[in-house]
Amino acid sequence: MTFNSNYGTPTTTTQSITTAVSTALTTNTFTRTGYTFAGWTANSDGTGTSYTNGQSVTLTGAITLYAKWTANSNTVTFNSNYGTPTTTTQSITTA
């Protein structure tokens, strides 16, 4: 089984599996600046079968799983410096 970081680092890792035997997926060790790991998917675009971190799976052959990432969100506060309105906030997605 190959784990592809899907733009994270490091780029790939592997895990040996025995086909037709339930095996726990290796816990994610990838990182990606500005993103939070959201599990594994069968396709690099985030579609296909989804798997959770450490989930037990029974496979019938080799497979590549792709890291699924969710962009982090931050709140920006605008201070009018005594103007009107006094403050406003806006949530932004960072990547």
Side-chain angles (χ1 to χ4, degrees), residues 1 3 23 25 37-43 46-60 63-68:
M1 175 180 315
F3 296 96
T23 304
L25 298 176
F37 178 74
W40 302 103
T41 61
N43 300 311
T47 62
T49 304
S50 293
Y51 302 92
T52 58
N53 214 17
Q55 178 179 338
S56 289
V57 297
T58 302
L59 302 173
T60 58
I63 187 172
T64 297
L65 296 180
Y66 297 87
K68 185 174 181 178

Side-chain angles (χ1 to χ4, degrees), residues 16-23 57-62:
S16 296
I17 59 165
T18 302
T19 57
V21 174
S22 181
T23 304
V57 297
T58 302
L59 302 173
T60 58

Side-chain angles (χ1 to χ4, degrees), residues 23-35:
T23 304
L25 298 176
T26 299
T27 303
N28 173 54
T29 58
F30 297 130
T31 59
R32 185 173 175 191
T33 302
Y35 291 83

